[in-house]
Amino acid sequence: MRIALHTGKGGVGKTTLSVATAVAAAREGHRTLILSTDPAHSVADVLGAPVAADPTPVADVPGLWAAQVDTRRRVEESWAGIRQYLVGMLAAGGMAEVQAEELTVLPGAEEMVALLELRRHAESAEFDVIVVDCAPSGETLRLLALPETVQFYASRLLRGPNRLLRGLAAGLAGLSGGPTPPTQVRDAVADLLADLGRARDLLADPTVTGIRIVLTPERVVVAEGRRLLTALALHGFPVESVLVNRVLPDAADGAFVARQRAGQQTVLAGIAESFPGIPVTAVPTQAGEPVGADALGELAVAAFAGASVLPPLTATPVLQVSGSGGEYRLEIALPHVDRAEVGLSRVQDDLIVTVGDHRRRIALPSLLQRCLTRGARLADGRLTVEFVADPQAWPTDLLAGATGERRAAAETLAGAS
């Protein structure tokens, strides 16, 4: 299974490149699904064919299916029981049923549905490749960050689905308590949390999912792309490649076009520095609007120069733990970040990292939970947090062994000098 997720600033041609990639993947022999989570519903316009909520074969492209996530329908199908329970609780507190219906619209429902639909199709074994046309940058970040946020509030603050439902319903209804939710409702919430967790694991797996940032050669767009790269890294999602769309070819003539091309070349020269170590693909501007399978196939050929649109994934995890002997390091990739922008704190078993407007609460591995935080440094686009074994949390024999390893290393270093 391979997932290619396309995101970027609105208006950069993200949908066009997503569909072109899907067409090319299908023509390479992969059973391919182009799945749109963008409420703009532009995939149908680009394909020049209707797209339904369920995967539908695309005419004239064997091996290609298309689907548009239908948020409203999926919410009604999947969570009707949960909403019915909450509406009943609110009505019991004296609220009119119509008002209760409005209040029980689940926050983040669109992002949840998109994640669950992607996971459902990925685990169906019906497709080899899923190409995802995401909403613009901000919405994509909310989608990717949602599972960790929901799981934290459910499992840490409210201690599980049962208390989550009771607390939510009681708070909205102004009650001090409430009846225990029926088993099917508790099971539905527990299943939702588990499914969201599996969806996140799928997207954060660098051997399965490649995230592609789509840009145009404009300074404002590249600046947003840099911020998107930082935010994705903070949330644990490595970027596979950068696609620079609408690059003017050298053959384009005329004084006006020449000035445009010169400006693009200046921006293009800086893109490699903005996305170090990440492959960058320049997609040339087409003479005509790329609508329909044939035009999209030609665009893919022009963009990827005859190479596969699905090269092997080589991204490494953006979060790594290393060390031994009671001294450990947690490293997080944070490109394009100054030290003054980073906020760092620890609350029990969680490390809270803040970069500008973005915050991630990282559940520490069990090894680091039994350590004290010693310090942190930011260098070369990586945040390194140092930990040392906590004497009160480690068994005596393990702590003695760790101390002995550190002492032996220090003696070896002193003898060498």
Side-chain angles (χ1 to χ4, degrees):
M1 166 53 59
R2 175 71 180 274
I3 298 174
L5 189 151
H6 294 73
T7 185
K9 184 178 174 64
V12 297
K14 170 180 52 61
T15 299
T16 299
L17 292 184
S18 297
V19 182
T21 298
V23 169
R27 289 180 172 173
E28 288 180 5
H30 304 289
R31 296 174 302 165
T32 304
L33 171 67
I34 171 67
L35 178 67
S36 176
T37 66
D38 190 342
H41 291 207
S42 299
V43 166
D45 300 328
V46 173
L47 273 174
V51 175
D54 295 316
T56 304
V58 176
D60 302 325
V61 187
L64 178 62
W65 288 258
Q68 169 74 50
V69 175
D70 187 340
T71 303
R72 182 185 61 80
R73 193 184 88 180
R74 291 303 187 197
V75 168
E76 290 176 353
E77 290 177 349
S78 303
W79 301 329
I82 299 174
R83 291 191 64 188
Q84 183 179 359
Y85 168 75
L86 293 178
V87 168
M89 287 293 298
L90 293 172
M95 182 174 291
E97 187 169 333
V98 173
Q99 293 174 307
E101 285 279 359
E102 294 176 353
L103 280 176
T104 54
V105 175
L106 295 173
E110 292 186 0
E111 289 84 0
M112 288 185 189
V113 167
L115 285 168
L116 296 178
E117 283 293 277
L118 174 57
R119 172 186 162 271
R120 181 172 71 89
H121 291 308
E123 295 183 353
S124 71
E126 295 177 1
F127 307 105
D128 306 314
V129 174
I130 298 178
V131 180
V132 185
D133 174 35
C134 286
S137 307
E139 288 86 344
T140 299
L141 287 172
R142 285 197 294 273
L143 180 146
L144 294 176
L146 181 67
E148 279 192 337
T149 302
V150 171
Q151 288 180 319
F152 168 74
Y153 282 109
S155 64
R156 300 293 179 83
L157 296 184
L158 297 171
R159 301 301 177 192
N162 185 57
R163 190 169 177 182
L164 169 62
L165 285 170
R166 292 184 63 185
L168 178 60
L172 291 174
L175 304 174
S176 59
T180 300
T183 301
Q184 64 268 30
V185 174
R186 297 198 306 271
D187 291 345
V189 176
D191 290 345
L192 170 62
L193 296 177
D195 289 345
L196 286 173
R198 287 195 289 270
R200 191 208 184 276
D201 292 342
L202 186 71
L203 292 175
D205 185 344
T207 67
V208 174
T209 300
I211 296 179
R212 302 176 177 192
I213 296 178
V214 181
L215 309 172
T216 51
E218 301 169 271
R219 287 184 175 85
V220 172
V221 177
V222 174
E224 178 165 327
R226 287 163 57 98
R227 291 191 293 271
L228 177 59
L229 176 67
T230 301
L232 288 170
L234 173 63
H235 288 290
F237 297 99
V239 171
E240 173 196 0
S241 63
V242 173
L243 305 179
V244 187
N245 196 22
R246 300 173 188 152
V247 177
L248 289 169
D250 293 337
D253 55 9
F256 179 77
V257 173
R259 288 183 59 186
Q260 279 190 313
R261 186 168 56 246
Q264 286 191 354
Q265 292 303 317
T266 300
V267 176
L268 287 168
I271 287 179
E273 297 179 4
S274 297
F275 301 91
I278 299 175
V280 176
T281 298
V283 183
T285 298
Q286 301 298 290
E289 186 177 9
V291 174
D294 290 340
L296 292 165
E298 293 174 3
L299 174 61
V301 170
F304 296 96
S308 173
V309 296
L310 299 169
L313 290 173
T314 58
T316 57
V318 294
L319 189 150
Q320 297 176 323
V321 177
S322 61
S324 62
E327 295 184 349
Y328 305 96
R329 295 175 298 280
L330 174 67
E331 294 187 59
I332 307 169
L334 286 181
H336 309 308
V337 174
D338 294 328
R339 182 176 178 181
E341 299 177 81
V342 180
L344 192 64
S345 61
R346 180 174 177 179
V347 178
Q348 297 178 343
D349 295 336
D350 295 328
L351 188 70
I352 303 173
V353 185
T354 304
V355 179
D357 296 332
H358 300 282
R359 173 176 294 180
R360 183 184 180 194
R361 191 170 189 126
I362 301 172
L364 293 173
S366 58
L367 174 68
L368 299 185
Q369 292 176 13
R370 294 180 285 117
C371 294
L372 301 173
T373 309
R374 185 166 62 181
R377 65 180 184 276
L378 180 68
D380 300 324
R382 296 191 72 84
L383 174 67
T384 302
V385 185
E386 298 178 345
F387 296 83
V388 63
D390 182 356
Q392 297 182 357
W394 280 53
T396 304
D397 55 341
L398 289 179
L399 185 63
T403 305
E405 286 184 26
R406 291 201 301 272
R407 184 183 301 114
E411 291 174 352
T412 300
L413 181 62
S417 59

